[in-house]
Short mmCIF file of all heavy atoms in Angstrom, two decimals:
data_model
loop_
_atom_site.label_atom_id
_atom_site.label_comp_id
_atom_site.label_asym_id
_atom_site.label_seq_id
_atom_site.Cartn_x
_atom_site.Cartn_y
_atom_site.Cartn_z
N PRO A 129 20.28 -3.12 -3.26
CA PRO A 129 19.56 -4.08 -4.22
C PRO A 129 18.21 -4.56 -3.87
O PRO A 129 17.42 -4.63 -4.80
CB PRO A 129 20.56 -5.13 -4.37
CG PRO A 129 21.90 -4.64 -3.87
CD PRO A 129 21.50 -3.59 -2.91
N ALA A 130 17.89 -4.65 -2.68
CA ALA A 130 16.64 -5.09 -2.35
C ALA A 130 15.41 -4.12 -2.73
O ALA A 130 14.42 -4.54 -3.24
CB ALA A 130 16.53 -5.31 -0.79
N SER A 131 15.72 -2.81 -2.58
CA SER A 131 14.80 -1.85 -2.91
C SER A 131 14.63 -1.74 -4.48
O SER A 131 13.60 -1.49 -4.93
CB SER A 131 15.08 -0.46 -2.39
OG SER A 131 16.33 0.08 -2.88
N TYR A 132 15.74 -1.98 -5.21
CA TYR A 132 15.81 -1.97 -6.64
C TYR A 132 14.93 -3.08 -7.17
O TYR A 132 14.02 -2.96 -8.01
CB TYR A 132 17.22 -2.17 -7.17
CG TYR A 132 17.44 -2.35 -8.54
CD1 TYR A 132 17.40 -1.18 -9.54
CD2 TYR A 132 17.60 -3.49 -9.21
CE1 TYR A 132 17.57 -1.37 -10.85
CE2 TYR A 132 17.84 -3.68 -10.55
CZ TYR A 132 17.71 -2.58 -11.31
OH TYR A 132 18.04 -2.76 -12.71
N ARG A 133 15.09 -4.23 -6.47
CA ARG A 133 14.20 -5.40 -6.97
C ARG A 133 12.76 -5.20 -6.61
O ARG A 133 11.92 -5.57 -7.51
CB ARG A 133 14.87 -6.72 -6.46
CG ARG A 133 14.05 -7.92 -6.71
CD ARG A 133 14.75 -9.21 -6.43
NE ARG A 133 14.11 -10.32 -6.84
CZ ARG A 133 14.50 -11.65 -6.78
NH1 ARG A 133 15.75 -11.80 -6.38
NH2 ARG A 133 13.67 -12.65 -7.18
N THR A 134 12.62 -4.71 -5.37
CA THR A 134 11.11 -4.54 -5.06
C THR A 134 10.43 -3.59 -5.92
O THR A 134 9.20 -3.67 -6.28
CB THR A 134 11.20 -4.04 -3.56
OG1 THR A 134 11.64 -4.98 -2.68
CG2 THR A 134 9.69 -3.82 -3.13
N HIS A 135 11.15 -2.52 -6.29
CA HIS A 135 10.64 -1.55 -7.20
C HIS A 135 10.01 -2.14 -8.56
O HIS A 135 8.73 -2.01 -8.86
CB HIS A 135 11.67 -0.47 -7.60
CG HIS A 135 11.17 0.50 -8.67
ND1 HIS A 135 10.23 1.39 -8.69
CD2 HIS A 135 11.52 0.48 -10.08
CE1 HIS A 135 10.08 1.98 -9.77
NE2 HIS A 135 10.90 1.49 -10.68
N TYR A 136 10.70 -2.95 -9.12
CA TYR A 136 10.34 -3.61 -10.51
C TYR A 136 9.45 -4.66 -10.22
O TYR A 136 8.46 -4.92 -11.02
CB TYR A 136 11.52 -4.08 -11.29
CG TYR A 136 12.23 -2.79 -11.88
CD1 TYR A 136 13.61 -2.47 -11.46
CD2 TYR A 136 11.62 -2.17 -12.83
CE1 TYR A 136 14.17 -1.41 -12.06
CE2 TYR A 136 12.24 -1.00 -13.55
CZ TYR A 136 13.56 -0.72 -13.11
OH TYR A 136 14.19 0.30 -13.54
N GLU A 137 9.60 -5.51 -9.21
CA GLU A 137 8.73 -6.54 -8.96
C GLU A 137 7.23 -6.16 -8.60
O GLU A 137 6.23 -6.59 -8.97
CB GLU A 137 9.10 -7.39 -7.80
CG GLU A 137 10.28 -8.31 -8.01
CD GLU A 137 10.79 -9.14 -6.99
OE1 GLU A 137 10.53 -8.88 -5.82
OE2 GLU A 137 11.44 -10.29 -7.32
N SER A 138 7.16 -4.88 -7.86
CA SER A 138 5.90 -4.31 -7.30
C SER A 138 5.11 -3.81 -8.65
O SER A 138 3.86 -4.13 -8.72
CB SER A 138 6.02 -3.35 -6.27
OG SER A 138 6.76 -2.25 -6.73
N ILE A 139 5.88 -3.21 -9.52
CA ILE A 139 5.21 -2.69 -10.74
C ILE A 139 4.81 -3.85 -11.65
O ILE A 139 3.59 -3.83 -12.13
CB ILE A 139 6.24 -1.76 -11.52
CG1 ILE A 139 6.27 -0.36 -10.64
CG2 ILE A 139 5.64 -1.36 -12.88
CD1 ILE A 139 7.35 0.54 -11.29
N ALA A 140 5.66 -4.87 -11.85
CA ALA A 140 5.24 -5.98 -12.66
C ALA A 140 4.00 -6.56 -12.11
O ALA A 140 3.07 -7.15 -12.87
CB ALA A 140 6.34 -7.02 -12.74
N THR A 141 3.91 -6.77 -10.67
CA THR A 141 2.79 -7.37 -10.16
C THR A 141 1.44 -6.67 -10.52
O THR A 141 0.43 -7.19 -10.78
CB THR A 141 2.86 -7.50 -8.62
OG1 THR A 141 4.05 -8.28 -8.27
CG2 THR A 141 1.70 -7.94 -7.94
N LEU A 142 1.55 -5.23 -10.56
CA LEU A 142 0.36 -4.49 -10.79
C LEU A 142 -0.04 -4.60 -12.29
O LEU A 142 -1.21 -4.87 -12.60
CB LEU A 142 0.63 -3.02 -10.61
CG LEU A 142 0.82 -2.44 -9.15
CD1 LEU A 142 1.19 -0.95 -9.01
CD2 LEU A 142 -0.51 -2.74 -8.34
N ILE A 143 1.08 -4.62 -13.16
CA ILE A 143 0.67 -4.89 -14.57
C ILE A 143 0.11 -6.30 -14.75
O ILE A 143 -0.92 -6.43 -15.50
CB ILE A 143 2.05 -4.74 -15.45
CG1 ILE A 143 2.41 -3.31 -15.34
CG2 ILE A 143 1.61 -5.11 -16.97
CD1 ILE A 143 3.79 -3.02 -16.08
N GLU A 144 0.58 -7.33 -14.13
CA GLU A 144 0.07 -8.72 -14.28
C GLU A 144 -1.31 -8.67 -13.80
O GLU A 144 -2.20 -9.36 -14.49
CB GLU A 144 0.99 -9.56 -13.45
CG GLU A 144 0.49 -11.10 -13.64
CD GLU A 144 1.33 -12.09 -12.72
OE1 GLU A 144 2.41 -11.64 -12.14
OE2 GLU A 144 1.01 -13.25 -12.83
N ALA A 145 -1.66 -8.04 -12.68
CA ALA A 145 -3.14 -7.98 -12.18
C ALA A 145 -4.00 -7.39 -13.21
O ALA A 145 -5.13 -7.85 -13.34
CB ALA A 145 -3.10 -7.26 -10.88
N ARG A 146 -3.56 -6.20 -13.88
CA ARG A 146 -4.29 -5.65 -14.81
C ARG A 146 -4.58 -6.56 -16.15
O ARG A 146 -5.69 -6.55 -16.58
CB ARG A 146 -3.72 -4.31 -15.32
CG ARG A 146 -3.62 -3.19 -14.26
CD ARG A 146 -3.41 -1.91 -14.76
NE ARG A 146 -2.22 -1.71 -15.69
CZ ARG A 146 -1.07 -1.12 -15.36
NH1 ARG A 146 -0.96 -0.62 -14.15
NH2 ARG A 146 -0.19 -1.09 -16.26
N LEU A 147 -3.54 -7.19 -16.49
CA LEU A 147 -3.66 -8.23 -17.61
C LEU A 147 -4.66 -9.28 -17.26
O LEU A 147 -5.49 -9.62 -18.10
CB LEU A 147 -2.22 -8.63 -18.05
CG LEU A 147 -1.26 -7.69 -18.49
CD1 LEU A 147 -0.02 -8.37 -18.82
CD2 LEU A 147 -1.76 -6.94 -19.66
N LYS A 148 -4.53 -9.76 -16.13
CA LYS A 148 -5.51 -10.97 -15.73
C LYS A 148 -6.80 -10.46 -15.64
O LYS A 148 -7.92 -11.19 -16.06
CB LYS A 148 -4.97 -11.56 -14.39
CG LYS A 148 -3.75 -12.41 -14.66
CD LYS A 148 -3.31 -13.03 -13.33
CE LYS A 148 -2.05 -14.10 -13.54
NZ LYS A 148 -1.64 -14.61 -12.33
N ALA A 149 -6.97 -9.16 -15.06
CA ALA A 149 -8.45 -8.73 -15.08
C ALA A 149 -9.04 -8.51 -16.53
O ALA A 149 -10.13 -8.86 -16.68
CB ALA A 149 -8.39 -7.38 -14.26
N GLY A 150 -8.09 -8.08 -17.42
CA GLY A 150 -8.61 -7.93 -18.80
C GLY A 150 -9.04 -9.37 -19.31
O GLY A 150 -9.90 -9.33 -20.23
N GLY A 151 -8.18 -10.34 -19.01
CA GLY A 151 -8.51 -11.69 -19.40
C GLY A 151 -9.79 -12.13 -18.88
O GLY A 151 -10.61 -12.89 -19.66
N GLU A 152 -10.03 -12.01 -17.69
CA GLU A 152 -11.39 -12.33 -17.01
C GLU A 152 -12.55 -11.63 -17.65
O GLU A 152 -13.60 -12.27 -17.62
CB GLU A 152 -11.24 -12.04 -15.46
CG GLU A 152 -10.24 -12.89 -14.73
CD GLU A 152 -10.01 -12.46 -13.39
OE1 GLU A 152 -10.63 -11.45 -13.03
OE2 GLU A 152 -9.26 -13.12 -12.62
N ARG A 153 -12.44 -10.48 -18.10
CA ARG A 153 -13.43 -9.73 -18.84
C ARG A 153 -13.58 -10.08 -20.31
O ARG A 153 -14.41 -9.72 -20.84
CB ARG A 153 -13.31 -8.18 -18.70
CG ARG A 153 -13.27 -7.58 -17.28
CD ARG A 153 -13.37 -6.08 -17.35
NE ARG A 153 -12.27 -5.59 -18.20
CZ ARG A 153 -11.20 -5.12 -17.50
NH1 ARG A 153 -10.98 -5.26 -16.18
NH2 ARG A 153 -10.28 -4.46 -18.16
N GLY A 154 -12.66 -10.98 -20.71
CA GLY A 154 -12.72 -11.42 -22.12
C GLY A 154 -12.16 -10.42 -23.04
O GLY A 154 -12.31 -10.61 -24.30
N GLU A 155 -11.44 -9.50 -22.58
CA GLU A 155 -10.84 -8.42 -23.64
C GLU A 155 -9.36 -8.84 -23.98
O GLU A 155 -8.98 -8.43 -25.11
CB GLU A 155 -10.73 -7.12 -22.83
CG GLU A 155 -12.11 -6.59 -22.39
CD GLU A 155 -12.05 -5.29 -21.67
OE1 GLU A 155 -10.97 -4.49 -21.86
OE2 GLU A 155 -12.91 -4.95 -20.88
N LEU A 156 -8.71 -9.69 -23.17
CA LEU A 156 -7.42 -10.11 -23.48
C LEU A 156 -7.31 -11.62 -23.33
O LEU A 156 -8.27 -12.35 -22.87
CB LEU A 156 -6.42 -9.44 -22.39
CG LEU A 156 -6.32 -7.90 -22.46
CD1 LEU A 156 -5.37 -7.61 -21.17
CD2 LEU A 156 -5.87 -7.33 -23.67
N ARG A 157 -6.23 -12.15 -23.86
CA ARG A 157 -6.00 -13.60 -23.77
C ARG A 157 -6.14 -13.99 -22.40
O ARG A 157 -5.73 -13.21 -21.48
CB ARG A 157 -4.66 -13.95 -24.27
CG ARG A 157 -4.61 -14.02 -25.85
CD ARG A 157 -3.08 -14.28 -26.28
NE ARG A 157 -2.30 -14.81 -25.32
CZ ARG A 157 -0.93 -14.67 -25.34
NH1 ARG A 157 -0.46 -13.83 -26.23
NH2 ARG A 157 -0.19 -15.24 -24.44
N ASP A 158 -6.64 -15.24 -21.96
CA ASP A 158 -6.76 -15.51 -20.64
C ASP A 158 -5.50 -16.30 -20.09
O ASP A 158 -5.60 -16.91 -18.97
CB ASP A 158 -7.98 -16.41 -20.47
CG ASP A 158 -8.02 -17.71 -21.19
OD1 ASP A 158 -6.88 -17.99 -21.88
OD2 ASP A 158 -9.05 -18.38 -21.36
N ASP A 159 -4.41 -16.34 -20.88
CA ASP A 159 -3.26 -17.05 -20.34
C ASP A 159 -2.10 -15.94 -20.17
O ASP A 159 -0.92 -16.53 -19.93
CB ASP A 159 -2.85 -18.05 -21.42
CG ASP A 159 -2.39 -17.50 -22.73
OD1 ASP A 159 -2.78 -16.28 -23.10
OD2 ASP A 159 -1.79 -18.20 -23.58
N LEU A 160 -2.45 -14.69 -20.10
CA LEU A 160 -1.31 -13.75 -19.79
C LEU A 160 -0.95 -13.92 -18.36
O LEU A 160 -1.69 -14.06 -17.51
CB LEU A 160 -1.84 -12.41 -20.12
CG LEU A 160 -2.21 -12.12 -21.59
CD1 LEU A 160 -2.81 -10.63 -21.76
CD2 LEU A 160 -1.19 -12.36 -22.60
N SER A 161 0.34 -13.76 -18.10
CA SER A 161 0.89 -13.89 -16.82
C SER A 161 2.10 -13.00 -16.68
O SER A 161 2.32 -12.04 -17.19
CB SER A 161 1.34 -15.40 -16.61
OG SER A 161 2.27 -15.87 -17.56
N GLU A 162 3.09 -13.58 -15.68
CA GLU A 162 4.23 -12.74 -15.28
C GLU A 162 5.06 -12.32 -16.48
O GLU A 162 5.54 -11.18 -16.62
CB GLU A 162 5.05 -13.54 -14.29
CG GLU A 162 6.17 -12.78 -13.80
CD GLU A 162 6.98 -13.58 -12.69
OE1 GLU A 162 7.56 -14.59 -13.12
OE2 GLU A 162 6.97 -13.30 -11.42
N ILE A 163 5.38 -13.09 -17.33
CA ILE A 163 6.28 -13.01 -18.47
C ILE A 163 5.82 -11.65 -19.36
O ILE A 163 6.50 -10.84 -19.74
CB ILE A 163 6.56 -14.16 -19.33
CG1 ILE A 163 7.48 -13.90 -20.41
CG2 ILE A 163 5.36 -14.73 -19.95
CD1 ILE A 163 8.87 -13.45 -20.05
N GLU A 164 4.57 -11.72 -19.70
CA GLU A 164 4.02 -10.59 -20.47
C GLU A 164 4.06 -9.26 -19.59
O GLU A 164 4.25 -8.18 -20.18
CB GLU A 164 2.57 -10.91 -20.85
CG GLU A 164 2.39 -11.84 -22.00
CD GLU A 164 2.34 -13.36 -21.44
OE1 GLU A 164 2.42 -13.56 -20.11
OE2 GLU A 164 2.33 -14.26 -22.33
N ALA A 165 3.69 -9.44 -18.29
CA ALA A 165 3.88 -8.20 -17.50
C ALA A 165 5.29 -7.63 -17.51
O ALA A 165 5.42 -6.31 -17.58
CB ALA A 165 3.30 -8.59 -16.02
N TRP A 166 6.29 -8.55 -17.31
CA TRP A 166 7.63 -7.94 -17.28
C TRP A 166 7.98 -7.44 -18.73
O TRP A 166 8.76 -6.41 -18.84
CB TRP A 166 8.56 -9.04 -16.92
CG TRP A 166 8.61 -9.22 -15.42
CD1 TRP A 166 7.84 -9.94 -14.53
CD2 TRP A 166 9.63 -8.65 -14.44
NE1 TRP A 166 8.18 -9.84 -13.34
CE2 TRP A 166 9.18 -8.95 -13.11
CE3 TRP A 166 10.69 -7.85 -14.69
CZ2 TRP A 166 9.89 -8.54 -12.13
CZ3 TRP A 166 11.36 -7.35 -13.57
CH2 TRP A 166 10.99 -7.79 -12.27
N ALA A 167 7.56 -8.06 -19.76
CA ALA A 167 7.85 -7.59 -20.99
C ALA A 167 7.24 -6.18 -21.19
O ALA A 167 7.88 -5.24 -21.91
CB ALA A 167 7.34 -8.58 -22.07
N ILE A 168 6.10 -6.01 -20.86
CA ILE A 168 5.37 -4.56 -21.06
C ILE A 168 6.18 -3.61 -20.23
O ILE A 168 6.36 -2.52 -20.68
CB ILE A 168 3.86 -4.80 -20.66
CG1 ILE A 168 3.19 -5.53 -21.68
CG2 ILE A 168 3.29 -3.34 -20.50
CD1 ILE A 168 1.62 -5.87 -21.31
N MET A 169 6.56 -4.00 -19.05
CA MET A 169 7.22 -3.11 -18.13
C MET A 169 8.53 -2.64 -18.78
O MET A 169 8.87 -1.58 -18.76
CB MET A 169 7.40 -3.62 -16.86
CG MET A 169 8.13 -2.75 -15.82
SD MET A 169 8.36 -3.29 -14.19
CE MET A 169 9.24 -4.87 -14.34
N GLY A 170 9.20 -3.62 -19.38
CA GLY A 170 10.49 -3.35 -20.13
C GLY A 170 10.33 -2.47 -21.20
O GLY A 170 11.16 -1.42 -21.43
N ILE A 171 9.31 -2.59 -21.95
CA ILE A 171 9.07 -1.65 -23.05
C ILE A 171 8.69 -0.19 -22.52
O ILE A 171 9.30 0.83 -22.99
CB ILE A 171 7.73 -1.97 -23.82
CG1 ILE A 171 8.01 -3.35 -24.55
CG2 ILE A 171 7.27 -1.00 -24.94
CD1 ILE A 171 6.74 -3.90 -25.25
N ASN A 172 7.98 -0.22 -21.47
CA ASN A 172 7.65 1.07 -20.88
C ASN A 172 8.83 1.94 -20.42
O ASN A 172 9.05 3.03 -20.58
CB ASN A 172 6.47 0.99 -19.82
CG ASN A 172 5.19 0.52 -20.20
OD1 ASN A 172 5.03 0.41 -21.45
ND2 ASN A 172 4.44 0.10 -19.29
N VAL A 173 9.74 1.17 -19.73
CA VAL A 173 10.88 1.69 -18.98
C VAL A 173 11.80 2.30 -20.14
O VAL A 173 12.37 3.50 -19.97
CB VAL A 173 11.71 0.65 -18.21
CG1 VAL A 173 13.16 1.26 -17.89
CG2 VAL A 173 10.90 0.25 -16.98
N PHE A 174 12.10 1.58 -21.23
CA PHE A 174 12.95 2.02 -22.38
C PHE A 174 12.25 3.13 -23.20
O PHE A 174 13.04 3.91 -23.63
CB PHE A 174 13.48 0.84 -23.00
CG PHE A 174 14.61 0.11 -22.21
CD1 PHE A 174 14.31 -0.94 -21.49
CD2 PHE A 174 15.93 0.69 -22.16
CE1 PHE A 174 15.36 -1.56 -20.71
CE2 PHE A 174 16.98 0.11 -21.38
CZ PHE A 174 16.73 -1.06 -20.69
N VAL A 175 11.05 3.06 -23.39
CA VAL A 175 10.52 4.11 -24.26
C VAL A 175 10.57 5.48 -23.27
O VAL A 175 10.87 6.39 -23.77
CB VAL A 175 9.00 3.75 -24.37
CG1 VAL A 175 8.31 5.14 -24.83
CG2 VAL A 175 8.91 2.72 -25.45
N GLY A 176 10.37 5.25 -22.01
CA GLY A 176 10.59 6.40 -21.08
C GLY A 176 12.05 7.03 -21.04
O GLY A 176 12.15 8.25 -21.23
N LEU A 177 12.96 6.03 -21.14
CA LEU A 177 14.40 6.46 -21.06
C LEU A 177 14.68 7.26 -22.52
O LEU A 177 15.36 8.42 -22.45
CB LEU A 177 15.23 5.37 -21.12
CG LEU A 177 16.81 5.56 -21.06
CD1 LEU A 177 17.16 6.46 -19.90
CD2 LEU A 177 17.65 4.28 -21.22
#
Side-chain angles (χ1 to χ4, degrees):
S131 63
Y132 175 80
R133 180 167 178 167
T134 297
H135 168 70
Y136 285 114
E137 286 181 337
S138 62
I139 291 176
T141 296
L142 290 174
I143 296 174
E144 183 179 358
R146 296 199 303 256
L147 296 180
K148 287 184 175 179
E152 291 171 358
R153 294 195 302 270
E155 299 175 25
L156 302 176
R157 283 172 23 209
D158 60 7
D159 61 344
L160 299 178
S161 61
E162 182 182 70
I163 181 64
E164 287 85 6
W166 279 84
I168 290 172
M169 181 173 63
I171 291 171
N172 295 351
V173 168
F174 280 98
V175 169
L177 180 64

